[in-house]
Every structure is written in C-alpha cells, then in structure tokens.
Amino acid sequence: MKVTAYQSYYGATPQSLENGDLNRLITYFELLEDVQKPVVSLIIPVFRAKETLVAHILSLSNLKTIIPYEVIFVENNADTETLTILKQLGAKVVSQPVQGITPARQKGLETARGQIVCTMDPDSIYDPYYIDKMVLPFFMDKDLVLCYSVSQSYENEFQLSPKMRIRNKIKLAYFRWKLSQNFTTKIKFIRAVSMAVRKEALLPIGYDTDLRAVSGCDDGMLAIHLHNMGTFKYVSTKVFTALPPKREPGKPFPFCNERFHTSKNPLAATFKALDITEA
C-alpha cells in the first residue's frame, strides 16, 4: 500500500474501523503471540500517538516476510487514548515511566527476544518488505552491526502534495549524498525511524539514558559506539514519517543533553548539578 492509502485511517480508533480491518489487526497480534523464537524485534516507543497509531499498525500488518518477528510497544507515559488503542487490539506493551526516547528504547532493547532489533516510530508507515530488506543483510555479513535507511515525509493525514513529492526527492538525494561521506558526517543523518541493529552488539552498549532531548542525538551516539564493533550498510527502502515540528525563529532543535545548554542562572544550575541546597 502507498502512504496515501492510509488517509482514511488518520485519527482512527478500533471502534471506527470496519469489522474486516478490526478483526485483521486483532488476529495479527494474536498470531504474534504464538511466535516462540522471534529472529527480529520491532521496538516502537509511544507517547502521544493516537492520530497515527492505527495506520502505523496497519502498515505493520502488511509486512511480508517469512522471518519470525515480534512487535513491542514501549509506552512512555502515553496518553489514555493511545493506551486504549493498544489494549483493544491486543498489542504487546511494556512500560517505561522514565520519560524520554532513550529510556524507552533501552526498555525495548532489554525486552527484545530477537537477534536483530529494528527501531520504529508510531507516526511512520513502512515498506511491506521492510523486514527482509533491513534484516537479511545481517545473515550475509557477519561483521554487519547496523543497517539504516532514509525516511520520506508526508503531510497531515498521510497526504502527499506535488510540492511534498518534490521535497522528498530532494531529501533522498541529499541524505544519500551525506550518508556516502565520512563517518563523522554520516552519523548526523542516521535516524532510528529506520534502523536495524544486531542485538548482541547493541546490548553491552545500550542507549545513553541520560540524554534528555532527542533530535537525532541518540541515533548518532549509538552509531559512534557501534562503529568500532563492525560495519554499517545503507538500505534502500520506503519509510514515510510525519514532518518534524516547525522550529522557532532563531531557535534550533535541542541536541543531546539539556545539561550542556547555556543556563540563564549558572549558579542555580551548578547547585542543582552538585545537589547542594542554596542557603
């Protein structure tokens, strides 16, 4: 299915689905429960995902592979509507009350049973052959530790205007060029929305759960650690994700840890870091 085919599922809930779609998704998760030895673990952190979650799950149910896999949603203080959707469909959910994308992904990693861990986002739509494309290379190259791809963007309600289609073509060309350069440049463009990692390489490292802001830092830090353990591979596959929020003028997205940001009150920040009560 093309991403535009999911337009009618934007904002959908189990109650709003036709019986055929509802039964399909319930059956999908029932079948996943019977997978005793998954080779692949799909890890999806969820926070506020009610508008896109049903469409995302439908895209997962459209995955075509003979590789046994599991799907793990990590609820990271998710809202009631998001949790209700997952519960009503019978999805496997684990909780991580420590707020942040890196603690959520770390919880998913610790829960995963598969040899290969794929990190995904609940606002994204994936190629039906995504698992085969991202995972099979690991079994052809024992030194491979990370596969990554480039996502395209959709507009509100999974729309693709002519302007957005042009933007996506430019983005793909730009990212592929950047990813073909040296490692220092490459890590800035590797994104967890389309990333697969060998679990035995990732588990001893884990995610830096001290990272408080996202904007690609967790992905880049992971790539830095994995770079010394094996090889990387770019995979051409289709992934569509939501446009990032607009930046405030003159204010970039936060990168890495908030503790490295300039403080408006350096003394108070120092007291807090040293755990000293101000007199």
Side-chain angles (χ1 to χ4, degrees):
M1 294 176 71
K2 296 181 179 180
V3 65
T4 51
Y6 291 89
Q7 289 180 11
S8 62
Y9 298 104
Y10 186 85
T13 65
Q15 289 80 7
S16 69
L17 292 175
E18 294 183 358
N19 287 336
D21 285 333
L22 178 60
N23 292 334
R24 176 184 177 181
L25 295 185
I26 292 175
T27 302
Y28 173 67
F29 286 118
E30 288 176 346
L31 292 173
L32 286 176
E33 283 187 8
D34 292 334
V35 178
Q36 298 300 313
K37 296 181 178 181
V39 173
V40 181
S41 298
L42 309 184
I43 308 299
I44 306 118
V46 287
F47 179 54
R48 302 287 184 264
K50 60 183 180 181
E51 286 84 7
T52 59
L53 186 55
V54 168
H56 167 73
I57 293 172
L58 275 167
S59 82
L60 298 184
S61 73
N62 287 325
L63 291 171
K64 303 180 187 299
T65 182
I66 61 171
I67 301 174
Y69 68 94
E70 64 178 346
V71 177
I72 302 171
F73 289 92
V74 183
E75 72 91 2
N76 195 211
N77 302 307
D79 55 36
T80 302
E81 293 86 347
T82 297
L83 292 175
T84 299
I85 290 172
L86 294 172
K87 180 178 180 180
Q88 291 178 342
L89 295 179
K92 179 178 180 178
V93 181
V94 297
S95 296
Q96 172 52 278
V98 179
Q99 191 63 53
I101 193 68
T102 47
R105 288 192 177 126
Q106 179 64 28
K107 180 68 175 183
L109 172 63
E110 295 168 356
T111 307
R113 296 179 292 154
Q115 300 173 40
I116 309 299
V117 173
C118 293
T119 55
M120 295 178 158
D121 287 348
D123 61 357
S124 301
I125 302 297
Y126 290 85
D127 185 326
Y129 296 97
Y130 184 80
I131 289 180
D132 284 1
K133 291 179 179 180
M134 296 292 284
V135 172
L136 289 178
F138 288 96
F139 297 96
M140 295 185 281
D141 182 355
K142 63 181 179 61
D143 295 323
L144 188 65
V145 293
L146 184 149
C147 283
Y148 57 92
S149 191
V150 178
S151 66
Q152 301 179 60
S153 300
Y154 61 79
E155 295 160 295
N156 290 335
E157 302 181 18
F158 305 110
Q159 298 180 61
L160 283 179
S161 66
K163 182 178 179 180
M164 180 56 64
R165 293 177 191 273
I166 294 173
R167 180 186 185 278
N168 281 333
K169 288 183 179 180
I170 295 173
K171 177 185 176 182
L172 286 175
Y174 178 75
F175 268 55
R176 285 171 180 167
W177 171 57
K178 286 293 186 181
L179 290 168
S180 68
Q181 297 185 32
N182 59 62
F183 177 72
T184 304
T185 300
K186 181 185 297 185
I187 63 168
K188 298 176 184 178
F189 296 89
I190 293 176
R191 297 288 184 267
V193 64
S194 49
M195 179 189 291
V197 184
R198 196 183 296 275
K199 183 184 175 184
E200 66 179 6
L202 176 57
L203 198 57
I205 302 169
Y207 287 89
D208 188 348
T209 55
D210 192 41
L211 297 175
R212 299 176 187 173
V214 289
S215 193
C217 187
D218 59 319
D219 315 330
M221 292 298 292
L222 210 61
I224 290 172
H225 290 304
L226 289 170
H227 184 245
N228 296 321
M229 304 185 67
T231 59
F232 293 5
K233 180 180 177 63
Y234 170 77
V235 176
S236 179
T237 185
K238 287 188 176 181
V239 177
F240 285 88
T241 193
L243 281 170
K246 292 183 178 180
R247 304 185 187 193
E248 296 180 28
K251 184 178 180 181
F253 285 135
F255 185 76
C256 289
N257 201 313
E258 289 177 347
R259 69 183 178 182
F260 298 123
H261 293 181
T262 303
S263 173
K264 293 181 180 179
N265 192 335
L267 188 59
T270 301
F271 285 150
K272 184 176 181 181
L274 296 175
D275 198 23
I276 299 175
T277 302
E278 186 174 3

